């Protein structure tokens, strides 16, 4: 078997973000689902639990991988690279960052302020804002084909708002 590429989407997205990659490289691309974070949990303990889940599920029996992620998913991929190689004896052959960074210092201050402000909204209002206002603004600013638009709409409507706000 070829070395798999495990791709993690950003917050508010799911495995559908990588539908094109899965379509073209279906035999090697793995897009696992997120696990729910615990209250007050930080990234490192979350990734420790996630590594356990991955090794029992989509990565069971796999000895080497490439990891990649978009935005928050890239930060998870970096953290998992360390955990998998150190504790799970999985050789991580490389990490691909897509619109991501190595630390939270790379995140723009304006985005941090938006996130802090958004976390104050009740969940129902936040879902409405994401599904209507932000989705419409994003779709109007990007050149997407019909399939990509449908994919984004599906992700917006299936967003786990608790995970997104975490």
């Amino acid at each position: 078997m070829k070395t798999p590429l495990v791709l993690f989407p950003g917050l508010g997205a799911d495995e559908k973000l990588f539908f094109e990659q899965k379509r073209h490289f279906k035999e090697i691309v793995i897009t696992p689902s997120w696990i729910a974070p615990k209250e007050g949990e930080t990234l490192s303990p979350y990734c420790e639990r996630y590594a356990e889940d991955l090794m029992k599920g989509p990565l069971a029996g796999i000895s080497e991988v490439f990891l990649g992620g978009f935005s928050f998913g890239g930060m998870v991929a970096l953290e998992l690279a360390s955990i998998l190689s150190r504790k799970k004896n999985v050789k991580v052959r490389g990490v691909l960052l897509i619109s991501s960074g190595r630390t939270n210092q790379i995140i723009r201050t304006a985005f941090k302020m938006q996130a802090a402000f958004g976390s104050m909204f009740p969940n129902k209002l936040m879902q409405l804002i994401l599904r209507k206002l932000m989705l419409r603004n994003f779709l109007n600013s990007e050149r997407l084909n019909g399939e990509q638009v449908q994919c984004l709409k599906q992700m917006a409507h299936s967003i786990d708002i608790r995970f997104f706000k975490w």
Side-chain angles (χ1 to χ4, degrees):
M1 178 182 172
K2 294 181 180 179
T3 303
L5 169 60
V6 184
L7 294 173
F8 302 96
L11 285 175
D14 59 27
E15 68 279 352
K16 288 185 278 310
L17 182 67
F18 300 113
F19 76 92
E20 288 289 345
Q21 290 79 7
K22 286 196 69 122
R23 181 184 337 197
H24 295 289
F25 304 103
K26 59 183 160 231
E27 69 279 355
I28 63 167
V29 173
I30 300 171
T31 54
S33 299
W34 293 118
I35 60 171
K38 292 181 178 177
E39 186 72 33
E41 188 173 41
T42 60
L43 184 63
S44 189
Y46 174 83
C47 288
E48 293 276 350
R49 286 189 315 107
Y50 197 24
E52 291 290 329
D53 191 70
L54 292 170
M55 293 309 296
K56 292 176 187 169
L59 299 186
I62 292 177
S63 60
E64 68 177 28
V65 296
F66 289 99
L67 300 175
F70 173 77
S71 189
F72 171 75
M75 296 175 93
V76 169
L78 279 171
E79 190 71 24
L80 284 171
S82 173
I83 294 166
L84 291 174
S85 59
R86 188 179 68 240
K87 295 185 175 182
K88 304 296 178 192
N89 296 320
V90 174
K91 182 177 182 177
V92 178
R93 301 199 38 138
V95 178
L96 171 68
L97 300 180
I98 308 163
S99 295
S100 190
R102 301 185 122 217
T103 66
N104 67 356
Q105 285 80 22
I106 197 79
I107 300 170
R108 294 184 342 258
T109 303
F111 184 79
K112 288 180 184 179
M113 290 172 51
Q114 284 176 332
F117 186 66
S119 68
M120 294 181 220
F121 289 122
N123 289 356
K124 291 284 187 193
L125 180 58
M126 191 67 198
Q127 282 178 321
L128 183 65
I129 290 168
L130 287 169
R131 289 179 183 164
K132 300 291 182 189
L133 182 65
M134 292 181 79
L135 179 62
R136 184 177 60 233
N137 287 344
F138 181 80
L139 292 176
N140 289 337
S141 69
E142 299 296 320
R143 294 168 58 148
L144 304 173
N145 66 35
E147 192 175 18
Q148 293 166 329
V149 168
Q150 281 308 112
C151 179
L152 282 172
K153 285 181 178 179
Q154 287 172 358
M155 281 191 287
H157 286 281
S158 64
I159 225 169
D160 179 344
I161 201 67
R162 290 168 296 162
F163 185 73
F164 182 79
K165 288 173 85 171
W166 171 71

